Amino acid sequence: MPQNALYAQSGGVTAVINASAWGVIEAVRGHPAHFGRIYAARDGILGALREELIDLDHEDPLTLQALKHTPGGAFGSCRFDLGDPDTHPEQYERLVEVFRAHDIGYFFYNGGGGSMDTALKVAKMGDRMGYPITAVGVPKTIDNDLAITDSSPGFGSAAKFIATTVREASLDVESMHTSSTKVFILEVMGRHAGWLAAAAALAQEFDGQPPMLILFAETPFDEADFLDHLNRTIERHGYCVVVVSEGLKNPDGSLFSVAQSHDVYAYTQLGGAAPRLSELIREKTGHKLHWAVVDYIQRAARHIASKVDVDQAYACGRAAVEGVVAGEHSFMPIIRRDSTQPYRWSIGRTSLESVADIEQGMPREYITPDGYGITQEARDYLRPLIQGEEQPPFERGLPAYPRIRGELLPKRCPPFDVDHD
């Protein structure tokens, strides 16, 4: 008899992660000879450990279809990594217990590099624990730092939002700069990678408009050099837009700003780069300024999602299932760029080992020699990813985002204490 499938979401969500979810669900249901039922774990791998499994057969079919245009993580996400099998064998024993109790033979984990590591651990669990399980990763991250794949589902929509926000905000600053604000600072996400900050440069209609300095996570912050570039930009244009990655580093490699520390660096909450930078600029130059942090907004703005991004997220979800049907395992679907002009893409596969816990930053050749802008090569790479609009339906002036019921399967296993922060 076909075994059941379990889907789960992990890490920071995106505007299109639920499009991947629908791709998985739809594809699994399209292969009844290969799969039994499909469940969703509540709050990622934590839901699997706690035996909190959502019965998708009890969801409204129209609500599930609407996942393709719904932001956030419909089934709940988490920041939790499985421990090493040698030091945390109880976690793997628990997974086997839950999977066996619900006849789960397939596990689809939707997330970034850390999530691919969890998927890989689950894939290896079968041999170690004597319970066959096919584990597959489904790519997702607004940081665009997954290895091998040309781009990461979720990035294109966040990039489109940031470029749009910068273009609109810069017009505001330009209109008032002669008597008011000279500097506008926007802080964007990006722990190690400056891809999102780079996307802001797409707001420039032509060279130098709006005048902009970008502080990348990959480029150590040089205070004196930055202030010099800032003053010269204001002298020339009257104002300047500064876009800063939350992961900006000092020359010694330490973080420029940390919102909340954590003993695990990957879980250290970044933030505060914009207010700290504003204090520096105000103290050293006296320029009037404003700053903003887009934070969760950049990854939740489904109303302005990139159609390319939506299509790729959905395609990756379906490809994860189709690969399993074709006999593959322990892989992640990837996006291949077949051409840039015109932009064409297709879906391929790579092993989980090649992407697990690997972060890919911006190539140096994508950053201008002065360190504050992007090259034409970077523009050519980025621009296709933000193309097209696929708005959600609107009701009473607001986007309509239906919510799932989230009814859980009856538990068949004893309680399990998940030790996490």
PDB file of all heavy atoms in Angstrom, residues 286-311:
ATOM      1  N   GLY A 286      25.919  65.982  10.982  1.00  0.00           N
ATOM      2  CA  GLY A 286      24.838  66.895  11.308  1.00  0.00           C
ATOM      3  C   GLY A 286      23.694  66.888  10.312  1.00  0.00           C
ATOM      4  O   GLY A 286      22.744  67.670  10.441  1.00  0.00           O
ATOM      5  N   HIS A 287      23.760  66.027   9.321  1.00  0.00           N
ATOM      6  CA  HIS A 287      22.689  65.963   8.328  1.00  0.00           C
ATOM      7  C   HIS A 287      21.378  65.500   8.968  1.00  0.00           C
ATOM      8  O   HIS A 287      21.368  64.589   9.788  1.00  0.00           O
ATOM      9  CB  HIS A 287      23.044  64.987   7.203  1.00  0.00           C
ATOM     10  CG  HIS A 287      24.184  65.428   6.345  1.00  0.00           C
ATOM     11  ND1 HIS A 287      24.272  66.694   5.795  1.00  0.00           N
ATOM     12  CD2 HIS A 287      25.302  64.759   5.912  1.00  0.00           C
ATOM     13  CE1 HIS A 287      25.376  66.793   5.088  1.00  0.00           C
ATOM     14  NE2 HIS A 287      26.020  65.633   5.140  1.00  0.00           N
ATOM     15  N   LYS A 288      20.288  66.127   8.546  1.00  0.00           N
ATOM     16  CA  LYS A 288      18.983  65.652   8.980  1.00  0.00           C
ATOM     17  C   LYS A 288      18.665  64.355   8.245  1.00  0.00           C
ATOM     18  O   LYS A 288      18.903  64.247   7.034  1.00  0.00           O
ATOM     19  CB  LYS A 288      17.907  66.694   8.695  1.00  0.00           C
ATOM     20  CG  LYS A 288      16.541  66.303   9.271  1.00  0.00           C
ATOM     21  CD  LYS A 288      15.534  67.422   9.144  1.00  0.00           C
ATOM     22  CE  LYS A 288      14.192  67.004   9.784  1.00  0.00           C
ATOM     23  NZ  LYS A 288      13.188  68.089   9.692  1.00  0.00           N
ATOM     24  N   LEU A 289      18.131  63.382   8.974  1.00  0.00           N
ATOM     25  CA  LEU A 289      17.906  62.078   8.351  1.00  0.00           C
ATOM     26  C   LEU A 289      16.693  61.378   8.942  1.00  0.00           C
ATOM     27  O   LEU A 289      16.174  61.742   9.991  1.00  0.00           O
ATOM     28  CB  LEU A 289      19.156  61.203   8.492  1.00  0.00           C
ATOM     29  CG  LEU A 289      19.742  61.005   9.907  1.00  0.00           C
ATOM     30  CD1 LEU A 289      19.016  59.898  10.660  1.00  0.00           C
ATOM     31  CD2 LEU A 289      21.220  60.665   9.822  1.00  0.00           C
ATOM     32  N   HIS A 290      16.289  60.337   8.235  1.00  0.00           N
ATOM     33  CA  HIS A 290      15.256  59.411   8.692  1.00  0.00           C
ATOM     34  C   HIS A 290      15.742  58.003   8.387  1.00  0.00           C
ATOM     35  O   HIS A 290      16.516  57.783   7.455  1.00  0.00           O
ATOM     36  CB  HIS A 290      13.918  59.664   7.985  1.00  0.00           C
ATOM     37  CG  HIS A 290      13.136  60.797   8.562  1.00  0.00           C
ATOM     38  ND1 HIS A 290      12.197  60.616   9.556  1.00  0.00           N
ATOM     39  CD2 HIS A 290      13.155  62.121   8.291  1.00  0.00           C
ATOM     40  CE1 HIS A 290      11.660  61.790   9.872  1.00  0.00           C
ATOM     41  NE2 HIS A 290      12.225  62.715   9.109  1.00  0.00           N
ATOM     42  N   TRP A 291      15.270  57.051   9.178  1.00  0.00           N
ATOM     43  CA  TRP A 291      15.632  55.663   8.897  1.00  0.00           C
ATOM     44  C   TRP A 291      14.413  54.771   9.065  1.00  0.00           C
ATOM     45  O   TRP A 291      13.450  55.126   9.738  1.00  0.00           O
ATOM     46  CB  TRP A 291      16.772  55.187   9.801  1.00  0.00           C
ATOM     47  CG  TRP A 291      16.514  55.254  11.288  1.00  0.00           C
ATOM     48  CD1 TRP A 291      16.847  56.285  12.123  1.00  0.00           C
ATOM     49  CD2 TRP A 291      15.885  54.258  12.107  1.00  0.00           C
ATOM     50  NE1 TRP A 291      16.457  55.989  13.421  1.00  0.00           N
ATOM     51  CE2 TRP A 291      15.876  54.751  13.439  1.00  0.00           C
ATOM     52  CE3 TRP A 291      15.341  52.990  11.859  1.00  0.00           C
ATOM     53  CZ2 TRP A 291      15.331  54.023  14.499  1.00  0.00           C
ATOM     54  CZ3 TRP A 291      14.809  52.264  12.914  1.00  0.00           C
ATOM     55  CH2 TRP A 291      14.811  52.773  14.217  1.00  0.00           C
ATOM     56  N   ALA A 292      14.459  53.616   8.422  1.00  0.00           N
ATOM     57  CA  ALA A 292      13.363  52.651   8.497  1.00  0.00           C
ATOM     58  C   ALA A 292      13.933  51.242   8.398  1.00  0.00           C
ATOM     59  O   ALA A 292      14.999  51.027   7.813  1.00  0.00           O
ATOM     60  CB  ALA A 292      12.354  52.885   7.378  1.00  0.00           C
ATOM     61  N   VAL A 293      13.226  50.306   8.992  1.00  0.00           N
ATOM     62  CA  VAL A 293      13.590  48.888   8.932  1.00  0.00           C
ATOM     63  C   VAL A 293      12.392  48.137   8.367  1.00  0.00           C
ATOM     64  O   VAL A 293      11.325  48.131   8.983  1.00  0.00           O
ATOM     65  CB  VAL A 293      13.961  48.331  10.323  1.00  0.00           C
ATOM     66  CG1 VAL A 293      14.342  46.856  10.229  1.00  0.00           C
ATOM     67  CG2 VAL A 293      15.098  49.137  10.933  1.00  0.00           C
ATOM     68  N   VAL A 294      12.552  47.510   7.206  1.00  0.00           N
ATOM     69  CA  VAL A 294      11.410  46.824   6.604  1.00  0.00           C
ATOM     70  C   VAL A 294      11.114  45.487   7.283  1.00  0.00           C
ATOM     71  O   VAL A 294       9.989  45.001   7.254  1.00  0.00           O
ATOM     72  CB  VAL A 294      11.603  46.620   5.084  1.00  0.00           C
ATOM     73  CG1 VAL A 294      11.393  47.921   4.363  1.00  0.00           C
ATOM     74  CG2 VAL A 294      12.950  46.034   4.758  1.00  0.00           C
ATOM     75  N   ASP A 295      12.125  44.857   7.881  1.00  0.00           N
ATOM     76  CA  ASP A 295      11.942  43.692   8.740  1.00  0.00           C
ATOM     77  C   ASP A 295      11.004  42.668   8.114  1.00  0.00           C
ATOM     78  O   ASP A 295      11.179  42.266   6.968  1.00  0.00           O
ATOM     79  CB  ASP A 295      11.450  44.158  10.114  1.00  0.00           C
ATOM     80  CG  ASP A 295      11.695  43.133  11.215  1.00  0.00           C
ATOM     81  OD1 ASP A 295      12.841  42.658  11.311  1.00  0.00           O
ATOM     82  OD2 ASP A 295      10.762  42.813  11.957  1.00  0.00           O
ATOM     83  N   TYR A 296       9.966  42.224   8.853  1.00  0.00           N
ATOM     84  CA  TYR A 296       9.066  41.174   8.360  1.00  0.00           C
ATOM     85  C   TYR A 296       8.311  41.599   7.100  1.00  0.00           C
ATOM     86  O   TYR A 296       7.864  40.757   6.325  1.00  0.00           O
ATOM     87  CB  TYR A 296       8.046  40.804   9.435  1.00  0.00           C
ATOM     88  CG  TYR A 296       8.571  39.913  10.531  1.00  0.00           C
ATOM     89  CD1 TYR A 296       9.926  39.625  10.643  1.00  0.00           C
ATOM     90  CD2 TYR A 296       7.715  39.347  11.469  1.00  0.00           C
ATOM     91  CE1 TYR A 296      10.409  38.815  11.651  1.00  0.00           C
ATOM     92  CE2 TYR A 296       8.183  38.524  12.480  1.00  0.00           C
ATOM     93  CZ  TYR A 296       9.541  38.266  12.566  1.00  0.00           C
ATOM     94  OH  TYR A 296      10.012  37.453  13.561  1.00  0.00           O
ATOM     95  N   ILE A 297       8.129  42.916   6.910  1.00  0.00           N
ATOM     96  CA  ILE A 297       7.321  43.390   5.786  1.00  0.00           C
ATOM     97  C   ILE A 297       7.906  42.914   4.468  1.00  0.00           C
ATOM     98  O   ILE A 297       7.170  42.545   3.548  1.00  0.00           O
ATOM     99  CB  ILE A 297       7.227  44.923   5.806  1.00  0.00           C
ATOM    100  CG1 ILE A 297       6.674  45.399   7.150  1.00  0.00           C
ATOM    101  CG2 ILE A 297       6.360  45.427   4.667  1.00  0.00           C
ATOM    102  CD1 ILE A 297       6.744  46.895   7.341  1.00  0.00           C
ATOM    103  N   GLN A 298       9.248  42.889   4.354  1.00  0.00           N
ATOM    104  CA  GLN A 298       9.872  42.531   3.087  1.00  0.00           C
ATOM    105  C   GLN A 298       9.619  41.079   2.693  1.00  0.00           C
ATOM    106  O   GLN A 298       9.651  40.732   1.523  1.00  0.00           O
ATOM    107  CB  GLN A 298      11.369  42.799   3.142  1.00  0.00           C
ATOM    108  CG  GLN A 298      12.130  41.927   4.120  1.00  0.00           C
ATOM    109  CD  GLN A 298      13.445  42.546   4.556  1.00  0.00           C
ATOM    110  OE1 GLN A 298      14.347  42.709   3.747  1.00  0.00           O
ATOM    111  NE2 GLN A 298      13.558  42.883   5.826  1.00  0.00           N
ATOM    112  N   ARG A 299       9.362  40.220   3.662  1.00  0.00           N
ATOM    113  CA  ARG A 299       9.124  38.815   3.338  1.00  0.00           C
ATOM    114  C   ARG A 299       7.644  38.446   3.378  1.00  0.00           C
ATOM    115  O   ARG A 299       7.289  37.297   3.130  1.00  0.00           O
ATOM    116  CB  ARG A 299       9.916  37.914   4.283  1.00  0.00           C
ATOM    117  CG  ARG A 299       9.426  37.859   5.717  1.00  0.00           C
ATOM    118  CD  ARG A 299      10.417  37.135   6.596  1.00  0.00           C
ATOM    119  NE  ARG A 299       9.816  36.679   7.843  1.00  0.00           N
ATOM    120  CZ  ARG A 299      10.504  36.268   8.899  1.00  0.00           C
ATOM    121  NH1 ARG A 299      11.830  36.258   8.848  1.00  0.00           N
ATOM    122  NH2 ARG A 299       9.892  35.846   9.988  1.00  0.00           N
ATOM    123  N   ALA A 300       6.781  39.406   3.683  1.00  0.00           N
ATOM    124  CA  ALA A 300       5.348  39.133   3.796  1.00  0.00           C
ATOM    125  C   ALA A 300       4.521  39.818   2.720  1.00  0.00           C
ATOM    126  O   ALA A 300       3.320  39.567   2.625  1.00  0.00           O
ATOM    127  CB  ALA A 300       4.847  39.567   5.180  1.00  0.00           C
ATOM    128  N   ALA A 301       5.149  40.668   1.913  1.00  0.00           N
ATOM    129  CA  ALA A 301       4.403  41.530   0.989  1.00  0.00           C
ATOM    130  C   ALA A 301       3.951  40.776  -0.260  1.00  0.00           C
ATOM    131  O   ALA A 301       4.477  40.973  -1.355  1.00  0.00           O
ATOM    132  CB  ALA A 301       5.250  42.741   0.608  1.00  0.00           C
ATOM    133  N   ARG A 302       2.953  39.921  -0.092  1.00  0.00           N
ATOM    134  CA  ARG A 302       2.464  39.121  -1.215  1.00  0.00           C
ATOM    135  C   ARG A 302       1.737  39.979  -2.260  1.00  0.00           C
ATOM    136  O   ARG A 302       1.655  39.606  -3.437  1.00  0.00           O
ATOM    137  CB  ARG A 302       1.526  38.022  -0.680  1.00  0.00           C
ATOM    138  CG  ARG A 302       0.920  37.124  -1.748  1.00  0.00           C
ATOM    139  CD  ARG A 302       1.979  36.419  -2.586  1.00  0.00           C
ATOM    140  NE  ARG A 302       1.396  35.600  -3.635  1.00  0.00           N
ATOM    141  CZ  ARG A 302       0.965  36.064  -4.802  1.00  0.00           C
ATOM    142  NH1 ARG A 302       1.017  37.362  -5.051  1.00  0.00           N
ATOM    143  NH2 ARG A 302       0.469  35.241  -5.720  1.00  0.00           N
ATOM    144  N   HIS A 303       1.217  41.132  -1.854  1.00  0.00           N
ATOM    145  CA  HIS A 303       0.462  41.974  -2.778  1.00  0.00           C
ATOM    146  C   HIS A 303       1.316  42.519  -3.906  1.00  0.00           C
ATOM    147  O   HIS A 303       0.797  42.989  -4.923  1.00  0.00           O
ATOM    148  CB  HIS A 303      -0.184  43.140  -2.022  1.00  0.00           C
ATOM    149  CG  HIS A 303       0.811  44.110  -1.452  1.00  0.00           C
ATOM    150  ND1 HIS A 303       1.585  43.817  -0.351  1.00  0.00           N
ATOM    151  CD2 HIS A 303       1.161  45.358  -1.849  1.00  0.00           C
ATOM    152  CE1 HIS A 303       2.364  44.852  -0.079  1.00  0.00           C
ATOM    153  NE2 HIS A 303       2.131  45.786  -0.969  1.00  0.00           N
ATOM    154  N   ILE A 304       2.640  42.462  -3.747  1.00  0.00           N
ATOM    155  CA  ILE A 304       3.526  42.962  -4.785  1.00  0.00           C
ATOM    156  C   ILE A 304       4.549  41.891  -5.173  1.00  0.00           C
ATOM    157  O   ILE A 304       5.675  42.181  -5.553  1.00  0.00           O
ATOM    158  CB  ILE A 304       4.211  44.274  -4.331  1.00  0.00           C
ATOM    159  CG1 ILE A 304       4.812  45.010  -5.513  1.00  0.00           C
ATOM    160  CG2 ILE A 304       5.237  44.010  -3.233  1.00  0.00           C
ATOM    161  CD1 ILE A 304       5.319  46.393  -5.192  1.00  0.00           C
ATOM    162  N   ALA A 305       4.136  40.644  -5.087  1.00  0.00           N
ATOM    163  CA  ALA A 305       5.040  39.534  -5.390  1.00  0.00           C
ATOM    164  C   ALA A 305       5.441  39.526  -6.857  1.00  0.00           C
ATOM    165  O   ALA A 305       4.715  39.987  -7.733  1.00  0.00           O
ATOM    166  CB  ALA A 305       4.368  38.208  -5.039  1.00  0.00           C
ATOM    167  N   SER A 306       6.613  38.966  -7.106  1.00  0.00           N
ATOM    168  CA  SER A 306       7.088  38.743  -8.469  1.00  0.00           C
ATOM    169  C   SER A 306       6.416  37.500  -9.033  1.00  0.00           C
ATOM    170  O   SER A 306       6.431  36.437  -8.408  1.00  0.00           O
ATOM    171  CB  SER A 306       8.609  38.561  -8.459  1.00  0.00           C
ATOM    172  OG  SER A 306       9.051  37.810  -9.566  1.00  0.00           O
ATOM    173  N   LYS A 307       5.831  37.610 -10.223  1.00  0.00           N
ATOM    174  CA  LYS A 307       5.204  36.440 -10.840  1.00  0.00           C
ATOM    175  C   LYS A 307       6.242  35.351 -11.120  1.00  0.00           C
ATOM    176  O   LYS A 307       5.956  34.157 -10.979  1.00  0.00           O
ATOM    177  CB  LYS A 307       4.483  36.821 -12.129  1.00  0.00           C
ATOM    178  CG  LYS A 307       3.681  35.655 -12.727  1.00  0.00           C
ATOM    179  CD  LYS A 307       2.935  36.046 -13.981  1.00  0.00           C
ATOM    180  CE  LYS A 307       2.008  34.920 -14.441  1.00  0.00           C
ATOM    181  NZ  LYS A 307       2.703  33.628 -14.603  1.00  0.00           N
ATOM    182  N   VAL A 308       7.427  35.769 -11.532  1.00  0.00           N
ATOM    183  CA  VAL A 308       8.499  34.791 -11.749  1.00  0.00           C
ATOM    184  C   VAL A 308       8.747  33.998 -10.471  1.00  0.00           C
ATOM    185  O   VAL A 308       8.886  32.769 -10.486  1.00  0.00           O
ATOM    186  CB  VAL A 308       9.791  35.489 -12.223  1.00  0.00           C
ATOM    187  CG1 VAL A 308      10.990  34.552 -12.137  1.00  0.00           C
ATOM    188  CG2 VAL A 308       9.637  35.988 -13.661  1.00  0.00           C
ATOM    189  N   ASP A 309       8.779  34.696  -9.352  1.00  0.00           N
ATOM    190  CA  ASP A 309       9.034  34.052  -8.066  1.00  0.00           C
ATOM    191  C   ASP A 309       7.913  33.097  -7.688  1.00  0.00           C
ATOM    192  O   ASP A 309       8.154  31.977  -7.224  1.00  0.00           O
ATOM    193  CB  ASP A 309       9.206  35.138  -6.992  1.00  0.00           C
ATOM    194  CG  ASP A 309       9.789  34.606  -5.696  1.00  0.00           C
ATOM    195  OD1 ASP A 309      10.553  33.630  -5.746  1.00  0.00           O
ATOM    196  OD2 ASP A 309       9.498  35.191  -4.641  1.00  0.00           O
ATOM    197  N   VAL A 310       6.668  33.518  -7.876  1.00  0.00           N
ATOM    198  CA  VAL A 310       5.521  32.664  -7.574  1.00  0.00           C
ATOM    199  C   VAL A 310       5.589  31.393  -8.408  1.00  0.00           C
ATOM    200  O   VAL A 310       5.422  30.269  -7.897  1.00  0.00           O
ATOM    201  CB  VAL A 310       4.197  33.400  -7.833  1.00  0.00           C
ATOM    202  CG1 VAL A 310       3.011  32.456  -7.647  1.00  0.00           C
ATOM    203  CG2 VAL A 310       4.055  34.607  -6.906  1.00  0.00           C
ATOM    204  N   ASP A 311       5.836  31.557  -9.694  1.00  0.00           N
ATOM    205  CA  ASP A 311       5.889  30.405 -10.595  1.00  0.00           C
ATOM    206  C   ASP A 311       7.013  29.446 -10.209  1.00  0.00           C
ATOM    207  O   ASP A 311       6.847  28.224 -10.244  1.00  0.00           O
ATOM    208  CB  ASP A 311       6.081  30.872 -12.034  1.00  0.00           C
ATOM    209  CG  ASP A 311       4.856  31.594 -12.597  1.00  0.00           C
ATOM    210  OD1 ASP A 311       3.773  31.483 -11.990  1.00  0.00           O
ATOM    211  OD2 ASP A 311       4.990  32.268 -13.637  1.00  0.00           O
TER     212      ASP A 311
END
